[in-house]
Amino acid sequence: MDSFEALVVDRTKESFAVEVKELRLDDLPVGEVVIRVLYSGINYKDALACSPNGRVVRAYPMVPGIDLAGTVVASSDGRFREGDEVLVTSYELGTGHYGGFSAFARVPADWVVPLPQGLTHREAMILGTAGFTAALSIQRMEENGLSKEQGPVLVRGATGGVGSSSVSMLAALGYEVEASTGKSADHQYLLDLGAKQVLTREELSPSVSKPLNKEYWAGSVDPVGGDSLAHVLSRIKYGGSVALSGLTGGGEFAASVFPFIMRGVNLLGIDSAACRVEVRKPLWERIAKELKPKGLEQTVYQEVTLDGVTEAAKQVLEGKVRGRVLVRL
């Protein structure tokens, strides 16, 4: 622990750099729990953090990595002891507080979740924030009345981290899943994850937009947003829900009020970054049980060490990644 490797991004007026550096524990920010990190993963936000135009890092230098799983090596908080297996996802990790792309991390105790039985460190990071967001989307829709008997559930951006996890989790729960993707080569991959049907991106972006179309989907997991969200809302069944968690398709959309006032459709905002711990802990327990995807390993696109993060992050930003990229420390 005298020194260890971490991926550090730094910016000056003249330059932007992403480098593997040697750090010491004294370099880590304040926190009650020191964790020996075993695995992390590359989320879209991590890829942005490694880009000079990402605009997600609050202060430089920074160690990216909004997810980590590992073992406690020191704790001044009575809730955690040396040897405890834990995970941390989101909060300010990797954007405002040194994150998971480091052999050691020091974090506030309030951010730490015990690794639930039924998940290994590696499995927890295959899921990570993306898997947690998928689970939170499903749980929120179920809380608003979603059930298997109501019909098919649409998953947009289905080859991404949130999307692929959602397909697998919904299929494991017995839902009829329809997956949407712009990647024609990945249709069989989504069928293997449990989708019953795969839709093209164009099928959700008709040339003529209507405020209401024939009711079809019982609900939708949507990490995409953008203009086609209006079409999805127009086809949700009475009382159904769209769980919106992302904006890879754009941060704005134009829609009418008719799905909401004539069909009682719910547009549910999903935020996993600041999710309350009283929601977070039991949901991770559920993820380790009935929400644990049977094809979890199928969602692993690549596993890299710190030296491979920069190139993998570029692939994520370019939309070339199918599923999850793991970082092994």
Side-chain angles (χ1 to χ4, degrees):
M1 292 175 59
D2 289 341
S3 64
F4 53 88
E5 288 190 339
L7 187 80
V8 180
V9 297
D10 203 1
R11 179 191 291 277
T12 67
K13 291 182 179 180
E14 294 78 24
S15 65
F16 179 86
V18 184
E19 299 176 297
V20 177
K21 292 187 174 182
E22 292 284 327
L23 297 185
R24 302 173 64 88
L25 286 181
D26 289 344
D27 296 320
L28 298 179
V30 296
E32 297 80 31
V33 183
V34 180
I35 300 168
R36 172 63 176 100
V37 182
L38 300 176
Y39 278 98
S40 184
I42 302 179
N43 295 276
Y44 191 76
K45 187 180 286 187
D46 299 315
L48 289 174
C50 294
S51 166
N53 301 314
R55 297 183 180 180
V56 296
V57 173
R58 300 178 186 177
Y60 292 96
M62 180 56 59
V63 174
I66 68 170
D67 297 335
L68 65 85
T71 304
V72 174
V73 295
S75 174
S76 61
D77 187 287
R79 289 171 290 179
F80 300 100
R81 298 180 298 177
E82 182 180 350
D84 286 351
E85 297 180 334
V86 296
L87 62 90
V88 185
T89 58
S90 302
Y91 297 106
E92 297 177 15
L93 200 67
T95 57
H97 186 104
Y98 281 17
F101 295 170
S102 173
F104 288 89
R106 182 188 286 123
V107 298
D110 288 342
W111 295 3
V112 182
V113 173
L115 185 72
Q117 288 189 352
L119 283 181
T120 65
H121 296 106
R122 187 174 189 275
E123 289 173 333
M125 290 297 96
I126 294 176
L127 293 162
T129 289
F132 182 81
T133 302
L136 186 59
S137 300
I138 294 167
Q139 181 159 291
R140 287 290 310 281
M141 288 196 296
E142 289 178 336
E143 290 170 351
N144 281 270
L146 180 69
S147 66
K148 296 184 285 292
E149 297 74 28
Q150 293 172 334
V153 177
L154 173 68
V155 177
R156 298 183 66 204
T159 60
V162 175
S164 58
S165 294
S166 298
V167 171
S168 298
M169 289 178 178
L170 286 164
L173 290 172
Y175 285 93
E176 180 184 347
V177 184
E178 296 194 357
S180 169
T181 180
K183 302 175 182 178
S184 59
D186 289 338
H187 286 203
Q188 188 59 50
Y189 164 72
L190 294 172
L191 294 172
D192 291 342
L193 289 183
K196 297 297 183 183
Q197 183 177 350
V198 180
L199 307 177
T200 65
R201 187 180 295 161
E202 289 72 26
E203 290 179 84
L204 300 183
S205 302
S207 56
V208 179
S209 178
K210 298 179 180 180
L212 287 175
N213 284 284
K214 184 177 180 181
E215 297 178 45
Y216 183 67
W217 295 296
S220 174
V221 176
D222 194 333
V224 177
D227 289 336
S228 53
L229 175 57
H231 178 70
V232 173
L233 288 166
S234 77
R235 298 187 66 191
I236 298 295
K237 288 185 175 181
Y238 188 93
S241 300
V242 174
L244 179 63
S245 63
L247 45 65
T248 57
E252 298 180 359
F253 72 100
S256 78
V257 300
F258 290 109
F260 308 109
I261 65 174
M262 297 186 69
R263 291 180 180 167
V265 171
N266 307 292
L267 183 58
L268 307 175
I270 304 299
D271 171 50
S272 56
C275 180
R276 301 188 312 275
V277 70
E278 55 265 32
V279 174
R280 193 179 291 266
K281 287 184 177 180
L283 184 52
W284 271 109
E285 294 287 344
R286 189 183 179 200
I287 291 170
K289 297 180 177 68
E290 73 266 27
L291 283 178
K292 184 177 180 180
K294 295 179 181 178
L296 193 55
E297 285 291 337
Q298 289 178 265
T299 65
V300 178
Y301 175 80
Q302 189 179 10
E303 184 173 314
V304 300
T305 61
L306 291 178
D307 291 329
V309 167
T310 302
E311 181 57 35
K314 290 180 182 178
Q315 294 180 33
V316 170
L317 291 178
E318 293 169 358
K320 297 179 179 179
V321 170
R322 181 184 70 186
R324 293 284 287 158
V325 177
L326 288 180
V327 181
R328 185 180 70 255
L329 280 303

